[in-house]
Amino acid sequence: MELNQYLEMFIEESKEHLQACSEHLLELEKNPEDLTIVGEIFRSAHTLKGMAATMGFEDLADLTHKMENILDAIRNSKIKVNAEILDVVFESVDHLEEMVFNIADGGDGKRNVQATVEKLKRIEAGESATAALEEQIPGQEIAAAIVENELEQPAQGLELKLSYDDFEKTVILQSSEQDFNAFEITVFLREDCLLKAARVFMVFEILEKNGDVIKSSPTVDKLEEEQFDSEFHVAFISKESAEDLQKMLMKVSEVDRVVVNKISRDVFVTKTTAIEVPVEEVQSQPAVQETVTAVSEEQPKTAAAKNNSKSGHASSKTIRVNIERLDILMNLFEELAIDRGRLLTIAGDVNHGELNETVERMSRTMGDLQNIVLTMRMVPVDTVFNRFPKMVRQLSRDLNKKIELNIVGAETELDRTVIDEIGDPLVHLIRNSVDHGIESPEVRRAKGKPEEGTVELRAYHSGNYVFIEIEDDGAGINREKVLAKALSKGIVTHEQSLTMTDKQINELIMASGFSTADVISDVSGRGVGLDVVKTTIESLGGNISIESTQNVGSVFSIQLPLTLSIISVMLVEIENEIYAIPLSSIIETSIIRHSDILNAHNQKVIDFRGKVVPLVFLEEIFEVPRAEQNDDGFHSVVIVRKGDKLAGLVVDSFIGQQEIVLKSLGNYLTNIFAISGATILGNGKVALIVDCNALMK
């Protein structure tokens, strides 16, 4: 067994603990007198330190230890929380996150953090060592002296937990003659420990580095198979002291407590020393699961983090599943969905009663299975949203603004594929609201607004879509300034500007290279960002809209599909080729006469409900060969939309609606114009999926 197999688990748990630290630090900033929050941060840091030390990432463990010292001093009222201390602790957490991400990318987690370490040391030295000793509770000093004394004088009356054969007795006797200490170690895991075998391995890894294991109960094989409750016993010889061994083992995550009994020279006499550190002092916090939620919906996360058996039992109902397994499951289901379509087609052709009944029942079951598989891939948007409070805090300090971030609907779920892509666009939009939207306190006072601006990030479901909105109560969009900048950059012509609506002017800020910032900063104002946001969201099958009122605020609204794997489409035919148009882009279908087609600016158009809509002949776009021209005087048109733009896609005929599995075209066909993927239909034919956005640029 190697530590490498636990690396992924270490990275995930480290991210969870660091996120918990960030969230609680933000709470502490608002309530600096609440020492219970400090306790939560301390437990997360303590667990992270132990995990890092066990995995051999000493730099990570050392920085966490330095930060932990400050937190310990705060919770013991030796240091008072202030803005300077919080800034340094936030800085430490940022470095720790960078170290963990470096490890995740295959690095060694090393980073030059000497400046931060020096700051932590200076803060720690703010109280002299003498003063710290004077504040120590006298009872603790006495207890420490008693423990030290017990190491020399073994306690009486404690029974050995293990039985020994003659060989094991000889090993223990000979080791004592060579100045080795013999111990019986009892390790108690938390009742809600999810991966007991992993924790056992980590314990044995520490022991084998510091001595030799004589035997264990249960045996090693049973421990690896998790055939035990929550405790196990180990006979161990080492030159380390009982106290040092106990401290090292307590660094392992999800270890509740450790009892180290020193065995006297005569193994038949039960003279031992017991060192048991109180649970409340060294108890490690249970890992909070994110890939699959480990906290019951009835309980808040803060309650789950407390040491009670009820929340522990709730955690054991869930497991951590590797994302790759879910991807494999999804791929297999997609193949099954293709076969379902094939079976439905065959059953329709054969028209056999029992076959039709069986296929129909199987299709219903497949529908239920599809819902379950898609639900398993759903991830709360909180996994993206949780990074923003700390980011907004830092930005507000950099810009000398007072800003409050409110998050609503963080429990809303999206497909993991969409979640992976939406993070960066949201970062751009929030930075834009903080920099361009929210005014400085002086300007807000002059406008009669509160000094503190508000940015609200909310998410909610609506039909088969998820909407994410970023709203601020800032300056809004200055349309005159935007239009003037667009004209100067040649983004629009003077003639176009005369007929543009307010909404169209608002959306000019998402044009490539556009920026109205008077001062270029690291936050925004380089003309890079919102055009990338728009491109990314449209590539996900979504769209973005902007509503703004000057001196009142702005709302950026993003509409995204729930999943990208299985989509609803309209199948159409051109000659003998079949194409699929996503229903999310379609407004309606129509049959038009050839005489309805008009010409305007060398473009064929139609009058659709009072709007001039350009026509796109797909047979020309995709160069579909025709055996003979068939002009019956009518055209089938699919009206599609991209934002405010409309277009009519001209096809030969409509086949109907269908749910299809979206497949990529592979690495060799990456730049096919207006084609976003392909699918296999029930009759075995391949249908190409039309990218409507590409046709309306």
Side-chain angles (χ1 to χ4, degrees):
M1 296 176 71
E2 295 182 357
L3 282 173
N4 284 340
Q5 63 182 306
Y6 297 110
L7 183 61
E8 186 176 342
M9 181 175 64
F10 163 76
I11 291 167
E12 289 301 319
E13 291 192 6
S14 297
K15 289 178 180 177
E16 290 161 7
H17 287 301
L18 287 170
Q19 182 58 41
C21 285
S22 296
E23 291 173 357
H24 288 121
L25 280 170
L26 290 166
E27 290 180 30
L28 183 63
E29 191 170 39
K30 297 176 182 176
N31 305 286
E33 302 299 325
D34 191 346
L35 295 183
T36 58
I37 300 175
V38 181
E40 298 287 348
I41 303 169
F42 179 85
R43 277 192 286 273
S44 291
H46 181 78
T47 305
L48 177 61
K49 180 186 73 174
M51 290 163 50
T54 303
M55 294 295 292
F57 299 115
E58 296 300 333
D59 286 12
L60 183 60
D62 184 61
L63 179 57
T64 313
H65 177 66
K66 297 289 192 303
M67 185 180 79
E68 187 185 43
N69 290 344
I70 303 300
L71 296 169
D72 191 40
I74 293 172
R75 70 174 186 161
N76 289 318
S77 301
K78 296 174 184 176
I79 297 177
K80 192 172 180 64
V81 176
N82 58 40
E84 181 189 8
I85 291 174
L86 284 174
D87 284 344
V88 175
V89 177
F90 267 117
E91 184 181 319
S92 302
V93 172
D94 288 341
H95 284 312
L96 292 171
E97 286 179 344
E98 289 167 359
M99 288 177 171
V100 170
F101 282 118
N102 177 259
I103 293 167
D105 292 336
D108 56 8
K110 293 186 181 296
R111 184 176 174 81
N112 186 2
V113 294
Q114 192 57 39
T116 304
V117 170
E118 290 301 323
K119 292 178 186 177
L120 292 169
K121 286 180 178 178
R122 284 198 294 272
I123 292 172
E124 188 178 1
E127 263 325 295
S128 67
T130 306
L133 287 172
E134 288 174 354
E135 292 180 11
Q136 188 177 19
I137 301 171
Q140 290 178 334
E141 295 176 355
I142 295 170
I146 291 172
V147 169
E148 189 65 34
N149 186 54
E150 284 181 345
L151 287 174
E152 299 300 326
Q153 301 294 329
Q156 300 292 326
L158 291 174
E159 296 182 359
L160 297 177
K161 302 290 185 181
L162 300 171
S163 58
Y164 301 89
D165 58 27
D166 291 339
F167 174 78
E168 291 159 352
K169 294 173 186 174
T170 303
V171 171
I172 292 173
L173 287 171
Q174 289 180 351
S175 64
S176 64
E177 292 171 359
Q178 298 174 17
D179 297 323
F180 281 83
N181 298 317
F183 302 102
E184 271 193 357
I185 301 172
T186 303
V187 179
F188 296 86
L189 300 180
R190 294 190 62 83
E191 291 184 8
D192 57 335
C193 179
L194 296 176
L195 296 172
K196 294 193 288 187
R199 304 311 178 198
V200 169
F201 171 71
M202 292 178 179
V203 168
F204 273 69
E205 184 78 4
I206 292 173
L207 293 177
E208 288 169 358
K209 286 182 178 179
N210 294 279
D212 292 304
V213 175
I214 304 301
K215 69 179 304 180
S216 67
S217 176
T219 62
V220 173
D221 290 340
K222 290 184 177 180
L223 289 173
E224 288 182 354
E225 295 170 3
E226 299 189 351
Q227 295 180 17
F228 67 102
D229 291 328
S230 60
E231 64 179 270
F232 58 96
H233 312 283
V234 180
F236 183 64
I237 56 173
S238 173
K239 288 191 175 182
E240 301 288 343
S241 67
E243 191 173 9
D244 288 343
L245 286 172
Q246 187 277 330
K247 288 179 179 178
M248 284 187 278
L249 294 177
M250 282 305 302
K251 289 183 177 181
V252 177
S253 179
E254 293 186 309
V255 168
D256 195 355
R257 57 194 175 98
V258 176
V259 178
V260 182
N261 292 333
K262 184 177 179 181
I263 306 172
S264 68
R265 193 178 189 287
D266 187 353
V267 76
F268 299 105
V269 180
T270 58
K271 293 180 180 179
T272 61
T273 296
I275 295 179
E276 183 173 342
V277 174
V279 174
E280 61 269 19
E281 291 297 322
V282 293
Q283 198 162 33
S284 61
Q285 180 184 6
V288 181
Q289 302 299 316
E290 182 177 287
T291 310
V292 185
T293 307
V295 181
S296 64
E297 293 180 358
E298 297 85 343
Q299 292 178 308
K301 287 186 179 179
T302 50
K306 294 180 181 177
N307 303 313
N308 61 68
S309 59
K310 291 183 181 179
S311 64
H313 290 309
S315 300
S316 63
K317 293 180 181 178
T318 59
I319 60 171
R320 186 187 293 272
V321 179
N322 191 306
I323 287 296
E324 291 180 1
R325 295 186 180 181
L326 290 182
D327 288 341
I328 292 170
L329 177 62
M330 189 66 199
N331 289 336
L332 291 173
F333 175 77
E334 288 171 355
E335 296 299 326
L336 206 56
I338 292 169
D339 291 339
R340 173 183 62 181
R342 180 76 173 138
L343 271 175
L344 287 169
T345 302
I346 294 172
D349 293 340
V350 174
N351 197 22
H352 186 278
E354 290 186 6
L355 177 61
N356 288 337
E357 182 183 338
T358 303
V359 171
E360 185 180 342
R361 187 167 61 250
M362 187 198 76
S363 184
R364 286 197 301 269
T365 305
M366 284 278 292
D368 294 338
L369 180 60
Q370 175 178 319
N371 291 333
I372 292 172
V373 171
L374 291 178
T375 301
M376 288 173 66
R377 290 173 55 87
M378 293 294 180
V379 180
V381 294
D382 182 50
T383 57
V384 177
F385 284 9
N386 59 23
R387 76 173 81 166
F388 297 134
K390 188 169 70 169
M391 184 186 84
V392 170
R393 173 191 179 273
Q394 189 60 47
L395 289 176
S396 62
R397 284 171 170 264
D398 294 342
L399 298 168
N400 295 317
K401 296 180 180 180
K402 296 180 180 179
I403 302 171
E404 180 183 3
L405 175 67
N406 296 325
I407 294 178
V408 180
E411 71 283 353
T412 306
E413 293 185 329
L414 258 175
D415 189 280
R416 184 185 67 84
T417 309
V418 183
I419 286 285
D420 290 344
E421 299 293 333
I422 198 61
D424 287 342
L426 289 179
V427 168
H428 282 301
L429 289 173
I430 291 175
R431 290 169 77 96
N432 184 72
S433 289
V434 170
D435 190 18
H436 290 302
I438 303 297
E439 311 97 329
S440 65
E442 298 78 17
V443 174
R444 291 181 67 84
R445 274 199 308 270
K447 291 181 178 180
K449 294 182 177 181
E451 284 191 7
E452 185 176 65
T454 302
V455 176
E456 185 168 290
L457 177 62
R458 54 180 175 264
Y460 57 91
H461 280 126
S462 180
N464 290 324
Y465 295 92
V466 167
F467 287 84
I468 299 176
E469 296 178 348
I470 299 96
E471 181 176 3
D472 66 69
D473 64 349
I477 295 175
N478 186 328
R479 294 187 180 87
E480 291 76 15
K481 187 175 181 180
V482 168
L483 196 54
K485 182 70 75 170
L487 286 167
S488 68
K489 286 182 170 286
I491 295 173
V492 295
T493 64
H494 179 70
E495 291 75 16
Q496 289 174 324
S497 68
L498 297 176
T499 59
M500 292 184 75
T501 64
D502 287 348
K503 189 173 183 182
Q504 289 172 328
I505 295 172
N506 290 342
E507 292 180 354
L508 285 175
I509 66 174
M510 291 186 288
S512 179
F514 187 91
S515 176
T516 59
D518 297 319
V519 178
I520 291 178
S521 68
D522 290 335
V523 179
S524 61
R526 296 188 180 275
V528 178
L530 294 186
D531 60 321
V532 177
V533 169
K534 185 179 181 183
T535 302
T536 303
I537 290 169
E538 289 178 350
S539 72
L540 294 171
N543 60 67
I544 180 171
S545 62
I546 305 170
E547 294 180 10
S548 182
T549 304
Q550 196 164 350
N551 294 322
V552 175
S554 303
V555 181
F556 290 79
S557 182
I558 300 171
Q559 178 184 338
L560 293 165
L562 278 174
T563 178
L564 300 181
S565 302
I566 297 177
I567 60 174
S568 296
V569 298
M570 165 72 75
L571 295 178
V572 298
E573 191 171 26
I574 305 171
E575 191 64 12
N576 293 321
E577 297 182 6
I578 298 174
Y579 293 86
I581 303 173
L583 284 182
S584 58
S585 299
I586 297 175
I587 296 177
E588 65 176 84
T589 58
S590 178
I591 305 293
I592 64 170
R593 295 177 181 273
H594 186 75
S595 58
D596 293 335
I597 300 176
L598 308 171
N599 286 298
H601 302 291
N602 297 321
Q603 169 76 55
K604 291 183 178 180
V605 300
I606 58 171
D607 183 351
F608 176 74
R609 305 190 191 285
K611 290 185 177 181
V612 176
V613 177
L615 293 179
V616 178
F617 290 81
L618 292 186
E619 66 170 303
E620 297 175 3
I621 296 294
F622 301 130
E623 299 178 2
V624 179
R626 284 196 181 275
E628 59 182 48
Q629 292 296 326
N630 182 20
D631 189 0
D632 58 3
F634 292 91
H635 295 281
S636 301
V637 179
V638 181
I639 307 296
V640 294
R641 177 176 61 190
K642 174 190 175 185
D644 285 339
K645 295 179 181 178
L646 297 179
L649 308 185
V650 181
V651 299
D652 287 357
S653 61
F654 310 127
I655 297 175
Q657 296 182 22
Q658 188 172 321
E659 276 196 341
I660 56 101
V661 176
L662 178 62
K663 296 283 189 181
S664 71
L665 295 176
N667 295 329
Y668 295 103
L669 299 171
T670 54
N671 296 314
I672 304 299
F673 175 69
I675 296 295
S676 60
T679 188
I680 301 174
L681 302 176
N683 58 9
K685 290 185 177 180
V686 174
L688 297 177
I689 300 167
V690 179
D691 182 0
C692 298
N693 292 330
L695 294 172
M696 292 186 284
K697 285 186 176 178

